[in-house]
Amino acid sequence: MPSSPHLRSPSRTSIVAVENVSCSYGDFLAVDAVSLSVEAGRIHALLGTNGAGKTTLLETIQGFRRPLSGGIEVFGRDPWRHRTEVAGRTGTMLQESGLVDEMTVADQLSLWRGVSVREDSVDRVLKLVGLDHRRRVPVSVLSGGERRRLDFAMALWGDPELVVLDEPTTGLDPQSRRTMWSIIRDLNAAGTTVLLTTHYLDEAQQLADSVTMLDQGRIAIEGTMSDVLAAIPARITFDTDADAPALAELWSLVAGDVAQTPAGGTNNDPSARATVWSITVQTPELQDDVAAVMDWARARGLRLDRLRCAPASLEEVFFEMGSALTTGKA
């Protein structure tokens, strides 16, 4: 077994292909005509609220359930009919840990080696997840973050081509979450394909190349992360004491929509009477409008306080999607 994961082909063929799949529990349709693909060497996020159908779809992709209709291929094989073959090339990290508290970290992985169809070494996997210094301690004394890394180590056992991560950082502190993100990025950089579910939208935005959002069993949004984030405008915000003519000029200079509200105070000059305005520019042309705002402020000698500019976040897209569905506009 090599000391580090080998680099795989950079080809962009689909590792997972889901075509018009529906799944049901009796009369309840949990997944309704969903199609998605996960390309080799990419990270794909499957998102949605509780009850959206994520877990059912994930179980079907892994071959634990048979779809009501439609088709799934993983590595070009039907995961229901060829579950052993697909499982041999797939590592899975579940929400619920199956760790044995009385065992040491190394013994837990030795036990896993006995039931896995893939070969690996305890030393390699512990080093990969940063637990080599904890190999002799009981699982019971590990922190929450360390326990999740041990779960991750079992998923990575044998260098699988596809890794399925179900809520990998739930309950972790910010530092532990970022450690997990770093490990996932390194794993992906070495060529491993990742299918990720998470309730942390910032996590999906940080990690994923593409995303599928489910709502009530159906696809609400899908696409590359950049395309999904472009679904709603970027935002530029700042405070200024510009007068009415200057603000009117700003409206004519930017491509986006400008909104202004009183910032709740005046500028720092006691003799001045100008209101301080909070300005928001929502724009599809972030770079051009940032340049326009800066040129406008420079030409008029204005100071822009609390200046911020950023594309839309995945959280904003998610809530925008929920609002559209509620009002029937989606």
Side-chain angles (χ1 to χ4, degrees):
M1 191 71 191
S3 60
S4 61
H6 60 276
L7 291 174
R8 298 193 175 90
S9 169
S11 66
R12 287 290 174 254
T13 57
S14 292
I15 293 290
V16 178
V18 177
E19 185 66 32
N20 207 34
V21 162
S22 296
C23 304
S24 66
Y25 298 93
D27 294 333
F28 175 67
L29 195 60
V31 176
D32 185 4
V34 168
S35 298
L36 64 88
S37 64
V38 182
E39 294 184 338
R42 297 298 185 101
I43 300 177
H44 187 92
L46 180 62
L47 307 175
T49 58
N50 290 331
K54 302 188 306 297
T55 298
T56 300
L57 183 57
L58 210 59
E59 290 175 349
T60 309
I61 288 172
Q62 294 176 95
F64 300 136
R65 296 177 51 87
R66 189 173 189 173
L68 176 68
S69 61
I72 296 179
E73 289 189 351
V74 181
F75 306 113
R77 309 289 279 176
D78 182 333
W80 173 259
R81 295 182 178 181
H82 303 279
R83 189 184 311 171
T84 300
E85 181 180 344
V86 169
R89 301 169 69 181
T90 305
T92 302
M93 180 178 177
L94 301 175
Q95 289 187 49
E96 298 295 328
S97 172
L99 303 179
V100 181
D101 284 347
E102 294 77 16
M103 284 187 165
T104 67
V105 169
D107 286 343
Q108 177 73 65
L109 284 174
S110 294
L111 177 67
W112 188 247
R113 175 170 53 196
V115 299
S116 176
V117 299
R118 299 187 297 271
E119 296 183 359
D120 210 329
S121 72
V122 171
D123 289 342
R124 186 195 80 90
V125 176
L126 285 179
K127 186 175 182 180
L128 197 63
V129 299
L131 286 178
D132 44 326
H133 66 297
R134 303 286 274 168
R135 59 180 298 121
R136 299 190 184 281
V137 305
V139 170
S140 60
V141 305
L142 296 179
S143 68
E146 289 172 334
R147 291 178 72 93
R148 288 307 275 162
R149 277 190 274 163
L150 184 53
D151 284 329
F152 199 14
M154 292 191 292
L156 302 184
W157 184 268
D159 194 20
E161 297 166 69
L162 171 67
V163 173
V164 178
L165 305 177
D166 192 1
E167 303 289 347
T169 66
T170 295
L172 300 189
D173 62 80
Q175 182 176 352
S176 296
R177 286 181 67 207
R178 291 187 179 276
T179 298
M180 285 290 289
W181 293 358
S182 178
I183 296 170
I184 293 169
R185 288 191 186 102
D186 289 346
L187 179 73
N188 178 245
T192 302
T193 306
V194 179
L195 176 57
L196 165 76
T197 70
T198 178
H199 280 106
Y200 298 121
L201 298 179
D202 63 325
E203 179 166 278
Q205 185 170 342
Q206 287 286 333
L207 295 174
D209 302 297
S210 55
V211 59
T212 299
M213 286 190 183
L214 299 181
D215 182 79
Q216 298 181 21
R218 308 190 78 174
I219 291 178
I221 297 177
E222 65 178 337
T224 65
M225 186 61 70
S226 58
D227 286 345
V228 168
L229 294 179
I232 64 175
R235 185 173 299 166
I236 306 166
T237 60
F238 56 89
D239 290 351
T240 180
D241 60 2
D243 58 20
L247 291 174
E249 181 187 12
L250 176 63
W251 283 65
S252 69
L253 293 175
V254 296
D257 296 325
V258 182
Q260 60 187 70
T261 57
T266 59
N267 61 23
N268 294 325
D269 182 353
S271 66
R273 300 296 182 186
T275 299
V276 177
W277 297 98
S278 288
I279 305 298
T280 299
V281 182
Q282 291 188 303
T283 176
E285 303 292 342
L286 181 59
Q287 181 173 334
D288 290 346
D289 277 359
V290 167
V293 167
M294 297 306 295
D295 289 345
W296 167 81
R298 190 177 299 111
R300 288 185 167 268
L302 295 170
R303 177 177 177 81
L304 306 181
D305 293 322
R306 299 197 302 171
L307 174 64
R308 297 186 66 184
C309 53
S313 70
L314 193 57
E315 182 174 344
E316 290 174 308
V317 174
F318 184 83
F319 285 111
E320 184 85 4
M321 174 198 77
S323 175
L325 290 168
T326 299
T327 58
K329 296 178 181 178

